[in-house]
Amino acid sequence: MVAWQDPTTGNAWIGRPGAGEDTAGPSDDARRILLVEDDVRFAHSLHRLLSGSGYEVSMAHTGGTALGLLSDGSFHVAVVDMNLPDMSGHALIRAMHDRQLDTAAIVLSGDTHIDAAIQALRVGALDFVRKPAEPGLLLHSVRRAIRQRCLEREHREIQRRLHRSERLHRYLVDKSPDIIFMLDREARVFFVNSRLTDLLGLEPEAILGRHISQLVYEPDRERARYIFNASKLTDASRHTLEVRLRSVSAPKGYLHFELVLCAATPDEDDHDGPIDEEHYYLVARDITARQDAEERARFHANHDALTGLPNRNLFRDRLTLALVQARRSRERLAVLFLNVDRFKSVNDLYGHAGADELLSLISTRIQRCLRGGDTLARFGGDEFLLLNTGVLDSEEVLAVVGRINAELAEPFSIGDKQVYLSVSAGIALYPEHGEDAEALVRHAKVALYHGRITGSSSQTFFMPEMGASRDHRVNLEHDLRQALEADEFELYYQPQMGLRDRHFRGVEALIRWNHPRLGLLPPAEFLPLAEETGHIAEVGDWVIRTALKTLHRWEGRGIAPARMAINISPRHLEQADFVERFMRWVREYQVSPGRLEIELTENLFIRDPGAMVQKLQDLAAQGVRIAIDDFGTQYSSLSYLQTFPIHTLKIDKSFVWEIDRENRQHAIIMAIISIAHSLGLNLVAEGVETEAQLKFLHTHACDEIQGYLVSRPLSETDLEQILKNQRQPMPLTP
Ligand code: C2E
Ligand code: MG
Ligand code: MG
């Protein structure tokens, strides 16, 4: 192996002898001379002379023999007689020249004419020595010929290596995976390698002599100006930048590159190089594959794999940005926590694949209902988050939920089956329900679960009393499991009063939790949790049995109210043996079913109308009354009022509270009253707190009221005072 360093570039490499290297030809140590002379005596005397001077001498007596010996190129010098028996010395030298033999020829001739010498030199001889040769002259000539041959050989070797070095450099530049540019001080391209064409689909002429920034993809030009600025190019420092370059051949019209720009000054002593002024070396490396991979990774980090929707991380980012904007422009926004109703049963029925397919379809349909600035995200499972910006009022948000449910109303086809779906929404508004993203999402979720528990299917706005912090929740969940055993629940009873005679009509049983640390908790603080964690049926069973037991005791004492209303959670009612269990306990406690009214919320009817209608009919057939609670707040459809055996409508307190205010809610409450009357239903107004509300309800012939004006929910002992006086008109407590 031979290590070789290019004297001009300083680059070095190792070459293998024989790999394209010319190893033929004599080395400097073995200086070989061929004597071509037919005069044998003369030849021998020359032989003695030359070998005596240290040369290795061979002899040939004819031109033909000489050519044969010379053909291996191992002789430095051939001393050639002009007159050979088979050819002239001229002819031999010409033949050597024609065969490009690397051997110097010295002509020996008796001819004294200068013409003969010139002729010999013309055909390629290096020197001319007259016969009979003067030994000193001949030796001098031979020595000179050998030195010259060596110099030529060395020169040729350097040329060959330079050529190879240049080829190697050209190869490196041309085959480089990067585009390599040379720029002048004004950032104009004066050299570019062939990768330009492969990667950008451009011929070099398109950019040679032009400013490099013309290659930069338009949106990135501003950024690229940072390094291609004329003033920056005088800076000798190194710049690195990631930009997109326009590419005719790339599908997107650009590729991502990492650019490295170096200022390079020509070498002091390299005056012959191609670069004679300050120049710049720019390497553009295609990093599109890496960028794409990063982009994909970013996408996956921020999107849901199933639906392609933003995930909760991206949602939080968008919401945080939207909040900054909303704060600045004093706008409202809404966060909706959406949950697909009855999705669990879809999962059970169609398996995971079917459920996944359905979730994708649902997300597509919901997306159709969105406006430009809205963001829909998948929170997980069958839960979605929706961000509504620039919201004017709650009506507008309700309209969005309405639109979504209208869009979902069309049945979904899974295999050969049809599925009917709807979503429930918990809604938190900025600024009233939370100032930051975390709080808004949490509150929307709380509202959703609260809505579900209290029965609302479609939409529930957050209320501060719903909001329990997460830690609090974790603790509560833990405590809830023990609450039943520890006998911490308690039933309160709120009286209902007839409006015409102000007489006591009945009570509604309302659960409370005597929490050992937190005190008396209202249902909103733990029922949603019981619902979520699957404890609702146990808790509900406890409520039913306690209410029946109490009623039984009151009956025994002769003070039982005419009616006891019990709230039933939809999840609880959904249990297959609910009716059977309920009636078994009714018999067990010997309570007359006619005194019992169960309160249900409207969303129950869109959950699974078929199964529900049967259960309610069974209960009604045995004398139990059915009331629709919070009527008007959710899925209010008149058709179910006719399909189901319903006895009582309870107007939600939100409508009652609107009575004092002068707005269109009046129309709703009047409509509810007339519906109840036309269907012959008992009508109870909830949440009556003022005389004005009472007066309005009385004037419009509402049957009963329930509210703080009459009484707050009372403990069993407190209520017994009222029960004892129930034949008297009830006093009002403003
Ligand atoms: P609901 O069935 O609509 O019960 C009426 C709620 O309004 C009760 O709240 C009651 O305390 C409250 N209320 C009554 N009059 C007034 C008034 O004049 N002003 C105001 N501001 N509020 C009044 P509570 O007891 O906190 O119960 C909330 C909800 O929790 C109930 O709404 C019901 O949906 C549910 N719930 C209560 N007990 C049970 C239960 O045993 N089982 C089930 N499944 N749900 C229950
Ligand atoms: Mg109720
Ligand atoms: Mg109610």
Side-chain angles (χ1 to χ4, degrees):
M1 296 286 224
V2 186
W4 200 77
Q5 189 164 30
D6 184 329
T8 52
T9 62
N11 292 343
W13 64 85
I14 291 175
R16 282 180 295 118
E21 216 160 323
D22 179 11
T23 50
S27 71
D28 288 355
D29 326 308
R31 278 133 192 218
R32 300 190 70 199
I33 297 176
L34 181 66
L35 280 173
V36 192
E37 173 61 79
D38 59 336
D39 178 342
V40 181
R41 271 202 13 236
F42 184 56
H44 278 292
S45 85
L46 283 183
H47 191 286
R48 264 196 310 277
L49 173 70
L50 293 171
S51 51
S53 299
Y55 297 111
E56 191 187 317
V57 185
S58 303
M59 290 203 286
H61 302 300
T62 63
T65 327
L67 274 178
L69 288 170
L70 287 169
S71 64
D72 73 350
S74 66
F75 290 94
H76 281 78
V77 177
V79 179
V80 179
D81 181 25
M82 279 306 230
N83 300 306
L84 297 169
D86 53 343
M87 61 175 78
S88 74
H90 284 139
L92 175 60
I93 293 170
R94 191 176 290 118
M96 285 167 64
H97 187 262
D98 290 348
R99 290 175 200 190
Q100 295 183 322
L101 292 178
D102 190 23
T103 303
I106 296 172
V107 175
L108 273 179
S109 173
D111 202 334
T112 51
H113 292 296
I114 191 82
D115 282 0
I118 291 173
Q119 221 183 340
L121 295 174
R122 215 176 256 155
V123 293
L126 189 74
D127 209 352
F128 176 87
V129 176
R130 222 150 36 88
K131 257 177 156 177
E134 208 248 288
L137 264 181
L138 181 63
L139 281 177
H140 175 75
S141 180
V142 165
R143 223 173 284 128
R144 198 169 64 90
I146 286 177
R147 199 177 326 117
Q148 180 147 345
R149 265 296 164 267
C150 289
L151 279 176
E152 276 174 18
R153 225 165 249 178
E154 217 167 88
H155 180 72
R156 267 203 310 278
E157 179 64 7
I158 288 175
Q159 283 298 321
R160 196 181 58 75
R161 289 191 168 169
L162 274 180
H163 181 65
R164 192 172 155 222
S165 157
E166 196 198 295
R167 264 192 359 242
L168 185 68
H169 281 114
R170 201 179 308 127
Y171 178 85
L172 289 178
V173 169
D174 286 347
K175 298 292 177 226
S176 155
D178 304 330
I179 311 180
I180 296 171
F181 299 93
M182 300 287 263
L183 309 181
D184 65 15
R185 202 176 290 131
E186 271 77 48
R188 285 180 307 231
V189 178
F190 69 82
F191 169 85
V192 62
N193 69 350
S194 58
R195 289 295 281 160
L196 177 85
T197 312
D198 307 340
L199 290 173
L200 303 188
L202 286 180
E203 292 305 322
E205 293 70 49
I207 189 63
L208 284 175
R210 292 169 198 253
H211 197 274
I212 183 76
S213 66
Q214 296 199 0
L215 292 180
V216 179
Y217 185 56
E218 188 72 43
D220 289 359
R221 276 207 195 148
E222 193 56 41
R223 229 152 35 84
R225 210 156 280 162
Y226 157 74
I227 71 167
F228 294 134
N229 194 315
S231 64
K232 284 274 163 47
L233 277 200
T234 57
D235 184 350
S237 67
R238 197 183 147 101
H239 296 285
T240 310
L241 176 75
E242 287 186 12
V243 285
R244 288 168 290 180
L245 298 185
R246 291 188 291 129
S247 167
V248 184
S249 38
K252 290 182 186 167
Y254 61 78
L255 293 174
H256 292 274
F257 284 89
E258 181 182 63
L259 304 186
V260 179
L261 178 73
C262 306
T265 353
D267 292 337
E268 291 276 298
D269 43 33
D270 180 20
H271 302 295
D272 311 328
I275 301 143
D276 49 6
E277 57 169 277
E278 203 171 274
H279 63 279
Y280 299 85
Y281 187 78
L282 178 75
V283 178
R285 168 157 302 177
D286 178 11
I287 51 165
T288 308
R290 191 184 86 198
Q291 285 280 342
D292 286 353
E294 279 173 11
E295 227 159 76
R296 268 199 303 280
R298 263 199 304 276
F299 184 86
H300 286 303
N302 285 319
H303 290 79
D304 167 51
L306 175 65
T307 59
L309 289 176
N311 63 12
R312 55 176 97 172
N313 295 339
L314 184 54
F315 185 85
R316 198 192 307 112
D317 288 353
R318 297 242 179 111
L319 176 55
T320 307
L321 268 180
L323 281 168
V324 172
Q325 179 65 34
R327 211 162 283 140
R328 198 178 305 137
S329 51
R330 296 176 181 283
E331 279 180 356
R332 298 173 90 190
L333 58 79
V335 173
L336 289 83
F337 204 102
L338 306 175
N339 185 293
V340 183
D341 300 318
R342 291 189 302 119
F343 197 76
K344 200 187 160 303
S345 53
V346 170
N347 228 333
D348 297 344
L349 261 177
Y350 302 98
H352 278 303
D356 280 357
E357 189 187 338
L358 209 48
L359 282 171
S360 300
L361 294 174
I362 292 170
S363 76
T364 312
R365 287 213 205 162
I366 298 180
Q367 276 170 294
R368 285 193 211 139
C369 310
L370 309 185
R371 298 164 312 170
D374 297 347
T375 296
L376 177 69
R378 177 144 179 246
F379 189 80
D382 61 341
E383 294 174 326
F384 295 87
L385 277 168
L386 176 56
L387 165 64
N388 262 193
T389 50
V391 168
L392 289 179
D393 54 24
S394 42
E395 295 291 313
E396 208 179 306
V397 185
L398 293 179
V400 174
V401 185
R403 274 207 303 280
I404 292 174
N405 272 329
E407 191 66 52
L408 298 181
E410 182 76 16
F412 291 84
S413 303
I414 293 288
D416 55 351
K417 299 200 184 76
Q418 301 235 300
V419 188
Y420 292 83
L421 290 173
S422 60
V423 292
S424 298
I427 305 160
L429 298 172
Y430 167 84
E432 47 269 67
H433 299 151
E435 297 268 317
D436 59 69
E438 293 294 328
L440 286 167
V441 170
R442 191 173 65 243
H443 289 166
K445 188 174 185 187
V446 166
L448 173 82
Y449 284 102
H450 188 270
R452 289 186 122 201
I453 213 58
T454 53
S456 36
S457 152
S458 296
Q459 50 245 337
T460 314
F461 282 93
F462 175 75
M463 287 190 292
E465 58 265 34
M466 297 173 180
S469 79
R470 189 180 298 164
D471 292 348
H472 178 59
R473 227 184 89 100
V474 172
N475 290 335
L476 266 194
E477 192 175 332
H478 170 262
D479 297 347
L480 192 61
R481 284 189 228 123
Q482 294 161 11
L484 268 179
E485 284 169 36
D487 198 23
E488 290 167 0
F489 292 118
E490 189 179 347
L491 278 189
Y492 271 51
Y493 302 91
Q494 188 176 31
Q496 296 168 332
M497 180 188 87
L499 261 183
R500 233 164 302 141
D501 53 8
R502 298 206 172 182
H503 269 70
F504 183 87
R505 289 286 165 77
V507 290
E508 176 178 5
L510 295 162
I511 192 170
R512 301 288 179 262
W513 179 4
N514 262 313
H515 191 280
R517 274 178 297 109
L518 303 171
L520 197 67
L521 296 181
E525 295 212 11
F526 61 91
L527 280 190
L529 194 64
E531 179 102 14
E532 253 179 84
T533 54
H535 289 89
I536 191 67
E538 286 166 77
V539 176
D541 283 353
W542 178 88
V543 169
I544 295 169
R545 295 172 66 176
T546 309
L548 293 176
K549 215 185 299 175
T550 310
L551 195 57
H552 174 72
R553 203 167 40 246
W554 286 336
E555 276 184 345
R557 291 168 58 190
I559 55 168
R563 200 172 65 227
M564 163 87 91
I566 302 172
N567 294 284
I568 303 293
S569 149
R571 286 262 165 98
H572 193 195
L573 187 67
E574 263 166 18
Q575 293 202 324
D577 59 346
F578 178 86
V579 176
E580 198 187 308
R581 273 204 331 274
F582 187 89
M583 292 314 298
R584 194 171 62 237
W585 290 324
V586 170
R587 284 190 296 278
E588 197 176 305
Y589 294 107
Q590 298 156 14
V591 169
S592 75
R595 283 186 198 261
L596 298 173
E597 183 161 90
I598 65 168
E599 294 194 4
L600 305 167
T601 44
E602 294 160 287
N603 66 322
L604 183 84
F605 303 106
I606 46 170
R607 287 169 90 100
D608 190 358
M612 291 303 160
V613 76
Q614 188 54 52
K615 286 182 179 170
L616 297 189
Q617 272 164 0
D618 287 354
L619 286 168
Q622 301 181 70
V624 177
R625 297 166 56 90
I626 315 283
I628 302 302
D629 208 349
D630 306 340
F631 185 77
T633 53
Q634 295 132 30
Y635 170 81
S636 297
S637 150
L638 291 182
S639 66
Y640 75 73
L641 290 181
Q642 285 156 327
T643 321
F644 291 84
I646 290 161
H647 305 85
T648 300
L649 283 191
K650 297 188 75 175
I651 307 177
D652 187 67
K653 45 184 169 290
S654 58
F655 299 116
V656 172
W657 295 343
E658 292 294 339
I659 289 174
D660 299 331
R661 290 173 221 164
E662 203 52 55
N663 68 23
R664 65 191 188 85
Q665 303 282 0
H666 269 99
I668 298 182
I669 204 162
M670 309 252 292
I672 295 174
I673 293 173
S674 76
I675 288 166
H677 284 164
S678 67
L679 293 172
L681 301 176
N682 183 39
L683 191 64
V684 181
E686 288 187 296
V688 180
E689 293 180 352
T690 66
E691 288 278 1
Q693 293 160 355
L694 178 132
K695 195 162 166 239
F696 177 94
L697 293 163
H698 183 66
T699 315
H700 291 92
C702 178
D703 303 304
E704 295 175 18
I705 59 167
Q706 177 182 345
Y708 295 170
L709 185 66
V710 179
S711 168
R712 287 182 176 263
L714 301 171
S715 67
E716 193 183 317
T717 21
D718 286 347
L719 184 82
E720 284 172 6
Q721 301 308 315
I722 296 182
L723 289 178
K724 283 175 199 155
N725 299 325
Q726 57 179 294
R727 311 275 165 244
Q728 311 285 314
M730 295 184 75
L732 297 179
T733 53

